[in-house]
Amino acid sequence: MTALRSTRTTRRLAGAAAVALAALALTACQNGTGLKDGGAATASDSATAPPSPTGATSPAPGTPAPGSTKTGTGTGKGTGPGTGTGSGEAKGGSSDPAAAAGNRVLCNGSNTEVTVQPVARPLNHMLISVKNTGSKSCDLTYYPVLRFDEMQWAPAPRQETHPQAVVSLAPGQSGHAAAMLAAADGSGEGGTTGQKLTIAFQGRTPNSSGGASATPSLPAKGIYYDSSLTVTYWQQNIEDALGS
C-alpha cells in the first residue's frame, strides 16, 4: 500500500512539472520566440502592410502624388517677361503707337481740314496746315506726299526737319509742314504753275497709305514750283515747319 501511494505521488509531481513547463513554453512564445496571437496593428505593422490592389495609396485631396508636379489651371495673366499665364494667354504690349494709346488714329483727309498758303518768308515757301476735325486724337506720320496736277515724281523730304516724336493732334488741334517751292537762286529746272494739289498721308510705316488724301484749295493764280520742290516732316507748330 505504501509503495502504491508513493507511485501516485510521483506521477502527480511529474504532471505538475509538465504543466509548469507548458506554461513557461507559452510565455516564451509570447516573448517573440514563437507564434503570437493577433492584436491591433502597430505603426511598424502598417509600414510593412501589403500594397493596395492599385499598387499605391490614394493621395489626399489637393496633394500631388509622389514624384509628380502639381500644375495649376488658373487664368491669371503675368505682366513681366517670362511670366507664366496658366491656361490664359499672355498679352504683350502692341507695337502700334495708336493701339498703345487706345484712342488714336491716323490723320488723313477723312478726319482733318487741310489748307495751304504761300508765305513771304522764307522765300518761295508754302505752309501746309492740318486741323483735326474728328473726335479722336490723330497722328501725323512722316511727311506729306505732294502731287501737283499730274506730276509723276514725289518731292523729297528734308531730313534735317525730322521730329523727335510723331506729331499727335487732339481734336481741334493743328499740325504743320512746309514746302520749298523753288530755289531762290533760280537753279531749279522745269518751272511750272500747278492748278491742283493732292496731299497724301502716310501710314505707320514709310511710304504706306495712311488713308484718304486731301485736295486743298489753291490761290486762283495757282502755285509756281520747279524741280527743287521739297517738303518738311510734319511739325507741331508753324515756327518749326517754316524754320523760323
Side-chain angles (χ1 to χ4, degrees):
M1 179 65 71
T2 301
L4 180 60
R5 290 179 178 174
S6 176
T7 300
R8 290 178 177 175
T9 300
T10 300
R11 289 177 179 176
R12 291 176 180 173
L13 291 176
V19 171
L21 289 174
L24 289 175
L26 178 60
T27 301
C29 289
Q30 293 177 340
N31 285 337
T33 59
L35 297 176
K36 59 181 178 180
D37 60 349
T42 63
S44 61
D45 294 333
S46 299
T48 58
S52 64
T54 60
T57 57
S58 300
T63 303
S68 66
T69 301
K70 185 176 181 180
T71 57
T73 57
T75 58
K77 298 177 176 61
T79 57
T83 303
T85 59
S87 62
E89 180 180 358
K91 295 182 178 181
S94 172
S95 59
D96 187 341
N103 197 36
R104 287 163 55 187
V105 297
L106 289 170
C107 300
N108 56 44
S110 68
N111 56 14
T112 63
E113 178 184 323
V114 182
T115 59
V116 296
Q117 176 185 352
V119 295
R121 292 185 182 279
L123 189 65
N124 298 337
H125 275 63
M126 176 181 71
L127 178 67
I128 305 168
S129 298
V130 175
K131 181 179 180 180
N132 182 359
T133 58
S135 59
K136 298 180 178 181
S137 295
C138 70
D139 292 336
L140 284 169
T141 55
Y142 306 104
Y143 53 88
V145 180
L146 308 183
R147 183 185 184 189
F148 284 103
D149 300 318
E150 301 302 321
M151 189 169 65
Q152 299 300 309
W153 54 280
R158 292 159 60 182
Q159 295 299 329
E160 70 275 13
T161 65
H162 200 301
Q164 293 183 349
V166 173
V167 174
S168 184
L169 306 178
Q173 286 187 331
S174 296
H176 310 274
M180 188 183 78
L181 300 170
D185 59 4
S187 60
E189 300 177 352
T192 188
T193 299
Q195 300 297 330
K196 178 183 177 182
L197 173 62
T198 301
I199 298 179
F201 296 83
Q202 299 190 59
R204 300 290 176 188
T205 56
N207 302 315
S208 63
S209 175
S213 299
T215 54
S217 299
L218 298 182
K221 63 179 182 179
I223 297 289
Y224 178 84
Y225 68 94
D226 64 21
S227 61
S228 57
L229 175 64
T230 57
V231 295
T232 68
Y233 281 78
W234 292 112
Q235 307 294 328
Q236 199 75 51
N237 54 68
I238 295 175
E239 290 76 14
D240 289 339
L242 294 176
S244 57

